Structures are given as C-alpha cells and as structure tokens.
Amino acid sequence: INYFENLKNKFYFKGGDVSFLKNKDTLIKIKNLDYSNFGFKKNHLSGNLFDKKFKASLKGKNNDISFKILETGITATFIFDNINYEKKVSGASKINILNNFLKFNFELNNEEMIIKKLTFRNKDLSTSSFGTIKFNPFFSINSNIIIKKINKNLFDDIDLKKIFLNKEIIRKINGNSKIIYKEKKLIKNYLNNILLDFNLAYGRLDFSSEIVISGGKIICKGDSILTEDYPRLYFNCKFDIKDQKKLFVDISLPNNSKNGSFILLVDGNLNIFNKKVNFKNIKINN
C-alpha cells in the first residue's frame, strides 16, 4: 500500500494473483485481485481469498480498512492511529465472524502484537482479555482472560479428537494463559469463581487451578502431553471444605456427619478422549 501511494502515475490492477510472503513462505494468497489508485474505485479492492469473494476499501489519511468476505458473515474494520510500516502499526478493530463479535485495540511490530481491551461475545460466551502474541524468535501467546458469561452446554459441541489430530499446530502453540471465571452461577449455585493458569510448550500442558465452591475450595495441579495418540490429563487435587453442611445441602446430599469440615485429597488421570477417570489415591482427613 505504501508503494502504491507513492506512485505518481495512475495505476489499475485487474485479475492478478498476489502472494503475501514472509521469509519466502506464503502467508496469504489473493486470486483475481482488482485494485485502482484513482477514479471512482480508488483504494477499493476485490478478489478471491480462501476461495471466497471479498471486498475491501482503504479510507482516510491512515488507510483505515473495511473488509468483507461475501456470503460468509465475516466483516472487519481496522482504524489506525499510528502507521509506520517499518516500525509499528497501532489502532483499533471490530470483527464479526458468524455473529461472533470481537473488538480490541492493538500495537503491532515485527516481533509481537500487543492486544488491549479485547472483548468477545456471542450467544453462549462473553469475555474480556488482554495479552501479547509473539512472532519472533518463535510463536507464543500470553493472555489474561476474564469469562463474564458462559453457557455450560457450549462444551458439548467441542470435538477434542479433531482438535488433537492437528499435532503439528499444537506443537507450535506456546505460551501462558490465565483464565478467571466470575459469573456467580454456573451449575446451580455451588460452583463460583474459577482461576485457571496453564502453560503450553511444544505439546506439553502444565496447569494449576483454584475453584471456589459452596463451603470451601478445590485446588488442583497437573500436566498432559497433548500430542500423544491417546492423551491423558494427570491431576492432583485438594478439596478444602470448611462448611460441609452448606456444600451437602447445595448438592442435595444428606449431611449426617458431626464434623463440619474435611480435607479430601485425590490424584489420578483423565482419559481425554474416552472421558474416563482413573483414581490412584483418594484420602479424606489423612
């Protein structure tokens, strides 16, 4: 775009194929691209992206971008407040992918993208977050995510087998993420705040979590090799219950014990595909 802007002659590009490269690797390829730097269609682009027709336009002194992939429900707007093509680009974006709405501010350079004030929402999920995506020397994501609303049935539609078949992609996703759940009621009224901290590096997942429940909390840690053919999640959990009566009432269990508190220690592993749990040890009050 910077090159086209500095051309003194009028320029019209029709039906061409353009590849965007980085280190000689193709990132994106656009087919049948039309572009003009003059006239009625000045700074309007159209063509085929991912075998779908798209339209885009550049407006204003910073070349703000409006983008649409036709007949897909995908639209995006990028408003730039600083453009230095060799050093840094910053601005704000609004993206709609099939009624999944994404909005965030960003700073982008050759090494990383800093994401601020990100909000995401659809009919099942609402979150806010911030973080950093690093490109060099390797790809990694560090993020902090606050879940404001979630439909627990959302997990029923996730096919983990299809996700874990992409082992090469999993090996390339590295980083650390913190997830905080703050909605008051997820399952009836006995599961409250959730704090999940996990680190992913070359297919190995390490995690720790703290879940506040009625009458106490659950503290867990564990790990898994996600690139194995049949991955297992190994866990070690401590149920620290201070008010047994409150917990048992909320989960509809009889409370005949005189002891108002207990500590339950559990360790074992979860077969991720079969959703079966194997317990190695279960201890209550030692």
Side-chain angles (χ1 to χ4, degrees):
I1 294 171
N2 192 39
Y3 173 76
F4 288 158
E5 279 190 333
N6 292 324
L7 286 176
K8 295 181 180 180
N9 297 328
K10 294 179 179 180
F11 180 82
Y12 182 48
F13 191 77
K14 182 176 177 62
D17 292 349
V18 177
S19 294
F20 292 85
L21 308 177
K22 184 173 184 180
N23 299 328
K24 297 183 179 180
D25 294 326
T26 299
L27 299 178
I28 296 175
K29 187 172 184 178
I30 297 177
K31 298 180 180 179
N32 299 320
L33 177 66
D34 289 355
Y35 172 80
S36 174
N37 69 351
F38 70 96
F40 178 72
K41 292 187 176 182
K42 180 180 179 180
N43 287 339
H44 286 260
L45 300 94
S46 64
N48 291 340
L49 178 64
F50 310 125
D51 295 323
K52 300 289 185 180
K53 291 183 179 181
F54 82 91
K55 289 184 178 181
S57 63
L58 311 174
K59 296 180 180 180
K61 64 178 182 179
N62 289 332
N63 285 319
D64 299 334
I65 300 174
S66 295
F67 179 84
K68 178 186 292 187
I69 300 181
L70 305 181
E71 299 179 356
T72 63
I74 298 175
T75 61
T77 302
F78 296 91
I79 299 174
F80 302 106
D81 51 42
N82 179 33
I83 292 184
N84 183 327
Y85 292 110
E86 296 181 356
K87 294 182 179 180
K88 185 177 74 170
V89 176
S90 63
S93 69
K94 294 181 180 180
I95 301 171
N96 179 6
I97 303 176
L98 298 173
N99 294 321
N100 295 280
F101 299 95
L102 189 65
K103 180 180 178 181
F104 59 92
N105 296 346
F106 62 89
E107 294 181 6
L108 174 66
N109 57 47
N110 289 328
E111 302 293 328
E112 65 183 12
M113 174 184 250
I114 300 172
I115 298 176
K116 307 174 183 178
K117 298 180 181 179
L118 186 151
T119 59
F120 172 85
R121 63 179 175 86
N122 61 23
K123 64 183 181 66
D124 296 313
L125 183 65
S126 175
T127 69
S128 63
S129 60
F130 61 92
T132 302
I133 301 174
K134 290 186 175 291
F135 311 121
N136 290 315
F138 52 85
F139 183 81
S140 66
I141 301 174
N142 294 284
S143 60
N144 291 266
I145 303 169
I146 298 174
I147 299 177
K148 298 179 178 180
K149 184 186 73 172
I150 188 170
N151 177 2
K152 65 183 181 67
N153 296 324
L154 179 67
F155 300 107
D156 297 338
D157 297 327
I158 297 177
D159 190 336
L160 292 177
K161 288 186 178 181
K162 288 185 178 180
I163 295 174
F164 290 153
L165 282 175
N166 298 297
K167 295 181 180 180
E168 290 305 312
I169 295 178
I170 292 175
R171 288 190 181 98
K172 293 179 180 179
I173 299 177
N174 305 291
N176 178 264
S177 292
K178 291 181 173 64
I179 298 177
I180 300 172
Y181 184 84
K182 285 193 170 184
E183 191 176 30
K184 294 182 179 179
K185 294 182 180 180
L186 177 60
I187 303 174
K188 293 185 178 179
N189 60 346
Y190 54 85
L191 182 58
N192 300 312
N193 292 347
I194 300 172
L195 173 62
L196 175 63
D197 190 340
F198 64 90
N199 184 74
L200 184 61
Y202 306 107
R204 178 183 176 87
L205 173 70
D206 294 288
F207 80 93
S208 63
S209 66
E210 181 174 311
I211 303 173
V212 178
I213 62 174
S214 294
K217 60 183 178 180
I218 307 170
I219 301 172
C220 294
K221 61 181 180 179
D223 59 79
S224 179
I225 306 296
L226 300 180
T227 52
E228 291 183 340
D229 290 336
Y230 300 97
R232 291 180 177 272
L233 184 71
Y234 294 88
F235 60 85
N236 187 305
C237 293
K238 176 183 179 181
F239 293 71
D240 188 357
I241 306 304
K242 303 295 186 183
D243 190 339
Q244 177 177 317
K245 182 177 180 180
K246 178 174 176 56
L247 173 63
F248 280 30
V249 168
D250 285 347
I251 61 177
S252 302
L253 285 178
N255 181 32
N256 299 321
S257 174
K258 294 181 180 180
N259 185 8
S261 64
F262 65 87
I263 293 178
L264 176 67
L265 302 177
V266 179
D267 66 276
N269 63 80
L270 166 68
N271 186 314
I272 295 177
F273 289 167
N274 295 333
K275 299 180 181 179
K276 291 183 178 180
V277 180
N278 298 295
F279 294 107
K280 183 178 180 182
N281 289 296
I282 301 175
K283 297 180 181 179
I284 183 166
N285 293 334
N286 293 316

